[in-house]
Structure formats: C-alpha cells, structure tokens
Amino acid sequence: MGERTRDFFRGQSLLLLGVTGTVGQVVLEHLLRCAPLQRLYLLTRSTPKASSTQRIIDLLQQPLFAAVHKVLRDEEGEAHSDDSTASDDDGSGDGGGCRSPQSSTQSDEEVLLNGFGIHVIEGDLQKEYLGLSERDLETLKANVTVVVNCAASINFDDPFPQLFDQNVVGALRVIQLAMSCEGVRSSGCFVHVSTAYANSNRSGVIEEKLYESDIDHEHEFSELGRTTGEEHERLAEQLRVRYGHPNHYTFTKCLCEHLIDSRRGDMPTLIVRPSIIGSTYKTPFKGWTNAPQGFGTLVAFRAFGASLRLPSDGMAIGDVIPSDYVSSAIIKGAVATAGRVGHLEVMHVSSSHTNPITWNELGRHAVKAFTQQNSQSKIPKKYMIGPRFVVKWCSSSRKYAVMHAMDDAAVVAGQSVAARLSDVLPSQGRQLSKLVKFLRRRQKALKLLHPFICNQWTFKTDKISQLAREDDEPDFPLDVENIDWELWCKDYLEGLCRYSLIPTLERMSARDKDPPAPKQPLKPSTFDTMSPSRMSTASTSRTRVDGAGLRSRWIVCGRM
C-alpha cells in the first residue's frame, strides 16, 4: 500500500453510508483491511428483523470479510506478544488504527465491532436529519473528516417517489450533514457515488464533468417537492422526457448531481460515476458479488437455464467494471480531493475508454464459462428452467418488438393455465406458476435493459488513469486496461452462483418449510424542509424470494 494513502487515512474519521449495498460492502472491506482510520462510523437503519448494530455484525460474517478477520487475528497476536514484553507504555500509541483494546466485560458483539474499530450509528436517509439522535449528530459533526455516500435506490422500476426520496432528497440530507462537519469542509472531503449513466441522455463521448443545462434544477426540485400523488408522478415523467433519460433512475441521479453542485458551498466534493458494476477482479479475492446487476442480471437468468433474446446485433459496448475498481476509485479519489477547498471533482470508473468490450464478446465469454463451470458453483438441477445457454441477438427492432410481444403473450397465457391447473393438480400448478413468474421477470428485465444494450457511450477515464500512474498500489487496483474480460467473466459466473444465487436458493428452501410472515403495513415517508411530507408509494415486496429463486430486486438491473 502506498504511503500517500496510508498517511492520509491515519487519524481520519470517516462516515460511510449505504454500507449494506454492493459498493458499500466492498468499500467497507477495503477500509477495514487497508486504511488505518482513527474512527469508522457506519450509518444504517434498523429493520423489523434486526437492529442496525446486528445488521453490521451479520454483514461482517460474510465471506467478503474473511481477509479482514485474518488481519484482525494477526494484529491481536502481535498485541499479545507486545503485552508480554511491555514496560511503561502509557498506551497512547501513534494512532495507527481505529481498532480499540478489548475488555473482558464486553459482549461478543462489542468485541467484534471494537475489534474492527466500528461505530454503528442508527439513521435513515428518509427521515429529517437522517433520523440521527442529537447526541449522534453532535458526535459526527465534531469528529468526521470524510463522508462517503454509497446509499441509493438502484432499482430501475421503483416508483418515482421512492427514487426521488432516496436518490435526491436523501442525498441532500447527507450533504447537509457533511457541510456541518468542520473537518470535512476544511481538510477532508465529501464523496458521492452516482452513475456514469447520469448522462445517458447524451451520446458519444462523455467527459468527466457536469454538463451545463438550461433547466433550473433547484426550481424543478422545489416543484417535485411541492406536488404529491398523480401530479407528482406526471411532473416527473414530463421532466424525464425533457431531460431525455431512459428511466427515472438515471434522471434522479442526474438531478442529484446538479443539486449537490449548487448546494456544496466550498466543501471539497468528489462525484464518482461507475458504469455497470460486476464482481471483484483482484481484491480481496476474485469473483465476489452479492447480487446480479446489469450484465450480471443476464448471467443470473442464464444460470437457471433461461434463453435470452436480446435487442441489437450485440456490437454495442457493454461497459462493465469490477466492484473493487470502483472502491479503489472512491478511496484514492477521496485522498486526491481532500483539502481542495471549493473544488468539485467528477470521476468516471468504467472500461469503455481504455478497455472496451462488446455485449457479444461478453456473451461468448459467459457461454464458455458456463461450459467450464465447476460442480461447486452450479445451480441445483431442481431449480433449472432449461438445459442450455441460448443468446439470440435481434438487430431488427421491429422483429424484436414482435417477438418480445409474443413472449409477453405467452407469459399471460401461462398465468391463466397455471391458475386453472392449480385447481385440478395443485403441485403441477405451483410449478407452472413459478416458471411463469420467472419468465415474467425475464421479460421485465430485458425491457429495462433495452436502452443500455442498444446504445453505447464512451466514458472518459483520464482521472483514474492518472491516479494509477501516480501511485500504483496493489491493494487499490485501477489498471482498467489490463483487465482480462474472459477471466473476469469466468470468475463472475462462479462467484455469482457461489456467493449469491445458491445461498439465496438455500434460504428460500428453508423459508418454504415455515409459514410466510405477515406483510408489514407501508409506513409513511417523512420529509424535512427540503421536501413536503407525503406518503411513499414504494412497494414492500422487492426483497421477496419466489419463482426460481430470483429476488425481485435482481431483475431491475440496478447500480449502472
């Protein structure tokens, strides 16, 4: 690890939001393993099933953090060795890390969190002041020097009110908190994770900057905050069309970028724009992913044997990027931006500029990977939909539309048959119903992916290339030009099955043995002065497991 990065993080206190998401988890692992922070605050909310602290404890038990546990054990071994030869050391140390000494009176949970140097903060982006207690708010203001916001709603088909609340209103609450931290404004920085497709309303080469617009973003934000119900969604659709965005996800991310710029004051700010995020390529090990996203969505469907009919001829660039490269850009970008008062940096993390690969090539690599797949990472046969990998490119948009409509009609017919069959042969009816649900999700996913498969952009990546040249750190890979896509596809497939799909199937099978828990009533979303109060229309079913084991949120191709 280069001294520049280590020297910067030594003594810093960092607040990380969105830690339970794909990017947030990889960033957390990176920080725990490689950054000697003084304090690491994790803001997360409680759920009906687990407290915020328990969610972090459960997260740290995942395979992604195996290397971090090893580092902790090694440090504890060194500490015991040092204790045996200690003299008059007063314990002040040099501040080399955020890990605290363990007390015999601590609970197992406290030992684990203190061992990693983690302070869990209960909070919620959808609440005023992030739902922070007065004590926690003052603690963060007094100590935090770097804020990294990875939190967002990444589901393309979430209702607009939910996307707006989380991707815009929530992000503005975070920047309000960051601006109240003196350390962030002076010597630290605020990092916001956006998406390269925030500029999907443009074409060709996309520069690392905020593009000028004739739209008054503050006015439109106020109008969206003022309206409710159908008027709110109608205005959002008008704005999306006016912006030229393919969906509300990219629209809200674009709007948020401009609002951050207008509200950041002179606070050092970094906006990181990743493209389609996939599994890790190098660190902490190859192939880790916790859910299919973008290209991984197609891979996930194939893992169950589903055939895919895709638009275009497959020659458009499939701009994928490993998640550890995104994390590296966030961490090293924060070091480069910190202390640059009044400065706004925009940084792409993508492959289309230095190491492009087409959708067709990605498909070929995936086909080859499936034929070489080892037995440990294969989906059990009882969950399979079909036996072969089938990818059909359809360059005629008219022909594709007709065939897609026929597939939609087949799904509708299948639903009707499954309903009738359930009355006569319940077991067969349930099996057919699962198949129909799976195919319906496939159709929905292909529709949502359509604009990104049929179009292509070249996202300039001069800034991460410069960071890679200035300080080549093995723990923080940014050498996009050296990525072997065939090897990455193979590791992605194995990791997706091993760490995501198969564990989900096992949990689904275990839940099938128990009666389903009653659904929780939808709770209203509260707003502060940035947006008037209104009831959230978000669905509560997006984490349900059904069909052939695919979670609903998998098919919406988030985080692009």
Side-chain angles (χ1 to χ4, degrees):
M1 181 175 179
E3 284 304 311
R4 180 185 178 190
T5 305
R6 175 176 289 277
D7 289 345
F8 171 79
F9 281 110
R10 184 176 289 110
Q12 300 287 340
S13 293
L14 187 145
L15 170 63
L16 177 62
L17 301 96
V19 69
T20 57
T22 299
V23 174
Q25 289 185 48
V26 180
V27 171
L28 174 61
E29 194 281 335
H30 244 145
L31 292 171
L32 292 176
R33 181 167 47 87
C34 302
L37 289 162
Q38 181 176 349
R39 299 181 185 90
L40 177 57
Y41 298 100
L42 304 180
L43 190 149
T44 187
R45 62 182 177 83
S46 298
T47 67
K49 294 183 178 180
S51 67
S52 56
T53 299
Q54 188 60 50
R55 293 182 72 195
I56 298 301
I57 291 172
D58 293 343
L59 181 66
L60 294 173
Q61 306 295 343
Q62 299 303 310
L64 175 65
F65 296 91
V68 176
H69 283 276
K70 183 179 185 303
V71 170
L72 180 60
R73 289 194 300 270
D74 292 344
E75 289 183 350
E76 289 176 345
E78 292 176 3
H80 290 312
S81 176
D82 291 342
D83 287 344
S84 65
T85 58
S87 55
D88 298 329
D89 189 355
D90 63 3
S92 59
D94 64 352
C98 61
R99 300 179 177 90
S100 304
Q102 298 178 8
S103 167
S104 59
T105 62
Q106 293 178 332
S107 65
D108 292 341
E109 291 80 5
E110 290 173 330
V111 169
L112 179 63
L113 294 178
N114 287 338
F116 287 118
I118 291 173
H119 302 259
V120 180
I121 303 291
E122 170 75 27
D124 190 336
L125 265 69
Q126 293 185 288
K127 294 182 179 179
E128 186 176 1
Y129 301 111
L130 299 175
L132 295 169
S133 68
E134 185 174 344
R135 179 180 178 181
D136 287 339
L137 186 59
E138 292 304 317
T139 297
L140 295 177
K141 287 181 179 180
N143 293 288
V144 170
T145 55
V146 178
V147 175
V148 178
N149 181 29
C150 300
S153 175
I154 62 174
N155 297 336
F156 284 4
D157 67 342
D158 273 348
F160 178 79
Q162 181 174 334
L163 288 165
F164 181 70
D165 296 349
Q166 296 190 22
N167 294 351
V168 183
V169 179
L172 295 182
R173 291 189 179 119
V174 176
I175 199 171
Q176 277 187 331
L177 173 62
M179 292 180 67
S180 69
C181 302
E182 175 60 31
V184 176
R185 295 200 315 271
S186 58
S187 59
C189 66
F190 169 69
V191 183
H192 175 74
V193 180
S194 182
T195 172
Y197 298 94
N199 288 297
S200 57
N201 56 333
R202 309 182 71 88
S203 59
V205 177
I206 307 299
E207 302 287 344
E208 297 175 284
K209 67 178 184 180
L210 282 179
Y211 285 91
E212 294 183 1
S213 172
D214 60 353
I215 295 176
D216 186 338
H217 301 91
E218 286 288 352
H219 172 74
E220 301 300 353
F221 173 75
S222 297
E223 288 296 300
L224 286 167
R226 178 185 59 79
T227 58
T228 58
E230 293 183 0
E231 183 184 0
H232 178 76
E233 297 193 18
R234 183 167 56 252
L235 176 59
E237 181 63 17
Q238 291 173 353
L239 290 172
R240 183 193 69 80
V241 173
R242 182 180 175 188
Y243 273 74
H245 279 274
N247 56 43
H248 287 307
Y249 168 75
T250 61
F251 164 56
T252 56
K253 299 296 277 187
C254 178
L255 176 61
C256 183
E257 285 190 3
H258 287 278
L259 291 172
I260 286 175
D261 183 39
S262 65
R263 299 190 179 200
R264 64 185 175 85
D266 61 357
M267 180 174 60
T269 303
L270 169 66
I271 295 176
V272 178
R273 293 175 178 165
S275 54
I276 305 172
I277 301 174
S279 67
T280 55
Y281 183 62
K282 292 183 177 180
T283 61
F285 54 84
K286 299 178 180 179
W288 179 85
T289 181
N290 69 332
Q293 303 172 51
F295 169 65
T297 305
L298 303 179
V299 175
F301 279 115
R302 170 52 212 135
F304 291 95
S307 63
L308 300 171
R309 183 179 292 110
L310 303 173
S312 85
D313 58 2
M315 298 310 295
I317 294 174
D319 201 325
V320 292
I321 191 73
S323 55
D324 50 334
Y325 280 63
V326 178
S327 176
S328 298
I330 291 170
I331 295 174
K332 295 190 68 172
V335 176
T337 306
R340 301 177 66 182
V341 177
H343 188 74
L344 172 69
E345 193 77 74
V346 178
M347 180 184 298
H348 286 148
V349 195
S350 60
S351 58
S352 55
H353 185 210
T354 57
N355 192 2
I357 183 169
T358 65
W359 287 106
N360 200 19
E361 291 173 307
L362 284 170
R364 286 204 305 270
H365 292 328
V367 170
K368 185 175 180 180
F370 273 107
T371 61
Q372 299 175 346
Q373 188 179 23
N374 65 64
S375 58
Q376 292 182 340
S377 60
K378 285 185 176 179
I379 300 296
K381 289 185 178 180
K382 63 180 180 178
Y383 295 107
M384 297 296 289
I385 300 299
R388 296 180 297 115
F389 186 100
V390 180
V391 176
K392 300 177 181 178
W393 293 103
C394 189
S395 57
S396 169
S397 57
R398 182 177 180 181
K399 181 179 179 182
Y400 176 81
V402 171
M403 299 180 79
H404 196 75
M406 292 174 63
D407 288 341
D408 287 341
V411 170
V412 173
Q415 288 177 305
S416 177
V417 172
R420 293 176 180 273
L421 187 60
S422 296
D423 296 333
V424 183
L425 300 170
S427 177
Q428 287 80 353
R430 284 195 298 270
Q431 290 299 320
L432 180 57
S433 179
K434 287 183 178 182
L435 173 60
V436 170
K437 288 180 180 179
F438 179 83
L439 296 178
R440 186 172 68 244
R441 283 171 168 75
R442 182 198 67 174
Q443 291 299 100
K444 190 174 184 180
L446 293 177
K447 180 180 178 181
L448 293 169
L449 273 176
H450 189 285
F452 305 98
I453 295 176
C454 293
N455 299 292
Q456 71 176 35
W457 300 264
T458 299
F459 301 109
K460 297 293 288 295
T461 52
D462 295 334
K463 293 176 182 177
I464 62 169
S465 296
Q466 181 179 351
L467 287 177
R469 290 193 301 268
E470 290 176 352
D471 195 356
D472 183 14
E473 302 172 299
D475 284 328
F476 296 95
L478 288 174
D479 56 331
V480 178
E481 65 277 6
N482 294 326
I483 296 175
D484 183 331
W485 293 119
E486 182 175 352
L487 177 61
W488 177 80
C489 281
K490 178 178 179 295
D491 294 334
Y492 192 2
L493 168 63
E494 293 186 359
L496 186 63
C497 292
R498 181 173 300 163
Y499 303 114
S500 180
L501 300 183
I502 293 177
T504 300
L505 293 173
E506 293 173 349
R507 290 194 297 269
M508 180 193 70
S509 297
R511 280 198 294 268
D512 284 346
K513 298 177 182 178
D514 301 321
K519 291 185 178 180
Q520 297 293 325
L522 193 64
K523 296 181 180 180
S525 174
T526 57
F527 291 77
D528 53 24
T529 55
M530 292 187 296
S531 177
S533 299
R534 65 169 176 274
M535 186 72 72
S536 172
T537 59
S539 169
T540 60
S541 64
R542 65 183 185 279
T543 58
R544 184 183 64 250
V545 182
D546 53 14
L550 289 180
R551 283 181 289 179
S552 299
R553 70 185 179 91
W554 288 358
I555 64 146
V556 293
C557 321
R559 186 65 70 189
M560 293 183 68

